[in-house]
Amino acid sequence: MEITGYSASIFIGISLGIIGGGGSILTVPVLVYLFSVDTFLATTYSLFVVGSTSLVGSFSYFKNGFVDSKTALFFGIPSIIAVFLTRHYILPAIPEHVMKIGDFELSRSILLMVFFAGLMIFASYSMIKKDKKESAAITKPANIIPIIAQGLIVGVITGLIGAGGGFLIIPALVNLLKLPIKTAIGTSLIIIAVNSLMGFGFSLGYFPIDWQFLLTVTLFAVAGIFIGMYLSTKIDAKKLKPAFGWFVLVMGIYILIKETILK
């Protein structure tokens, strides 16, 4: 099972390298189902894996001028605030045993995984649907309120389940700020890296960290992002994205069934 887990970790990085998002949403399921890590702890480990992998992946985009630093800062500040509040207040406030309905007990772990599955299904839709044509230029100033709101939403998601939220960030950057897709991907990776690593930092002290295991998974994911960045020069990401979206949809439905019906 560990070999499968490490192979899946490479796949996480490949997705981040090719389409700038999506792969991070698989990190928690990989940790929970393939490495048998507790769900609560898996969200913390995921923050480190996703953050480190995205940071490495952002270097080449930054070097080639495909990162909008002002946008990253503008979008990132609300996200970081939301991550902090979520990790410190919202997540610890969720009780270990949420409720019991007959023989079914809704635990915190099940609640987080069901929420995760719902998010995966939602994310798959944004990957499967056809993207609108990119705008050649900005026709009017972007409204600041939707951008801040999007940053807050991404921060809450990152804080709750350790997913980077690239599937939300990239559409926001393209549709609200009219950034070219490559710049949106590079900027997204920076935002994901900062949000996730800050979230991991906020979580230190709550759990004992198995650094050897965590760094090993991260190294496999980092190797994957280099493969993904190489493949991005050979493969049209727009063609690969829907296929990955269908995979995420199937995984989301599987998790939903496993955590509810098959419990």
Side-chain angles (χ1 to χ4, degrees), residues 178-198:
K178 311 301 181 188
L179 294 183
I181 188 63
K182 278 206 168 185
T183 304
I185 291 173
T187 306
S188 170
L189 288 172
I190 286 285
I191 295 169
I192 291 170
V194 173
N195 279 0
S196 300
L197 292 175
M198 290 289 284

Side-chain angles (χ1 to χ4, degrees), residues 201-231:
F202 296 149
S203 303
L204 288 176
Y206 286 95
F207 313 96
I209 304 295
D210 184 345
W211 284 104
Q212 183 177 351
F213 166 73
L214 184 56
L215 290 173
T216 302
V217 172
T218 302
L219 284 174
F220 275 92
V222 168
I225 204 166
F226 282 115
I227 297 171
M229 288 189 294
Y230 171 76
L231 291 176

Side-chain angles (χ1 to χ4, degrees), residues 113-132:
M113 291 308 296
V114 168
F115 177 69
F116 206 102
L119 193 65
M120 290 180 79
I121 293 168
F122 175 78
S124 69
Y125 170 74
S126 70
M127 296 177 196
I128 293 168
K129 72 175 183 178
K130 292 183 179 180
D131 295 325
K132 295 177 182 179

Side-chain angles (χ1 to χ4, degrees), residues 2-262:
E2 283 191 0
I3 295 173
T4 307
Y6 289 125
S7 300
S9 300
I10 295 174
F11 187 62
I12 291 165
I14 290 174
S15 172
L16 282 167
I18 294 178
I19 62 177
S24 63
I25 206 168
L26 297 176
T27 311
V28 169
V30 166
L31 292 170
V32 171
Y33 296 130
L34 300 182
F35 289 111
S36 301
V37 176
D38 173 74
T39 304
F40 207 55
L41 180 58
T43 64
T44 301
Y45 279 5
S46 177
L47 289 169
F48 184 83
V49 175
V50 171
S52 301
T53 307
S54 299
L55 184 63
V56 171
S58 68
F59 286 151
S60 67
Y61 284 93
F62 187 81
K63 185 177 67 175
N64 293 316
F66 292 125
V67 172
D68 188 321
S69 301
K70 288 183 180 179
T71 298
L73 186 66
F74 192 57
F75 195 103
I77 289 175
S79 294
I80 292 170
I81 293 170
V83 170
F84 173 79
L85 294 174
T86 302
R87 297 301 293 186
H88 268 276
Y89 299 106
I90 298 176
L91 203 55
I94 302 173
E96 182 66 37
H97 304 285
V98 180
M99 67 172 65
K100 192 170 184 179
I101 306 171
D103 294 329
F104 177 76
E105 183 176 332
L106 181 63
S107 66
R108 179 173 60 190
S109 294
I110 294 175
L111 179 64
L112 288 174
M113 291 308 296
V114 168
F115 177 69
F116 206 102
L119 193 65
M120 290 180 79
I121 293 168
F122 175 78
S124 69
Y125 170 74
S126 70
M127 296 177 196
I128 293 168
K129 72 175 183 178
K130 292 183 179 180
D131 295 325
K132 295 177 182 179
K133 291 182 179 180
E134 297 174 38
S135 300
I138 298 175
T139 55
K140 61 179 180 178
N143 189 341
I144 188 173
I145 302 301
I147 297 168
I148 292 174
Q150 201 86 1
L152 291 171
I153 292 169
V154 168
V156 170
I157 289 171
T158 301
L160 269 180
I161 56 176
F167 64 93
L168 289 174
I169 298 171
I170 292 175
L173 298 182
V174 172
N175 298 328
L176 296 178
L177 295 178
K178 311 301 181 188
L179 294 183
I181 188 63
K182 278 206 168 185
T183 304
I185 291 173
T187 306
S188 170
L189 288 172
I190 286 285
I191 295 169
I192 291 170
V194 173
N195 279 0
S196 300
L197 292 175
M198 290 289 284
F200 179 75
F202 296 149
S203 303
L204 288 176
Y206 286 95
F207 313 96
I209 304 295
D210 184 345
W211 284 104
Q212 183 177 351
F213 166 73
L214 184 56
L215 290 173
T216 302
V217 172
T218 302
L219 284 174
F220 275 92
V222 168
I225 204 166
F226 282 115
I227 297 171
M229 288 189 294
Y230 171 76
L231 291 176
S232 69
T233 64
K234 309 291 182 182
I235 302 173
D236 185 354
K238 289 182 180 179
K239 293 180 180 178
L240 183 65
K241 194 175 177 182
F244 185 71
W246 283 108
F247 173 72
V248 171
L249 176 63
V250 171
M251 283 296 298
I253 293 171
Y254 167 76
I255 292 171
L256 199 59
I257 294 171
K258 187 179 190 316
E259 294 296 331
T260 54
I261 299 172
L262 300 181

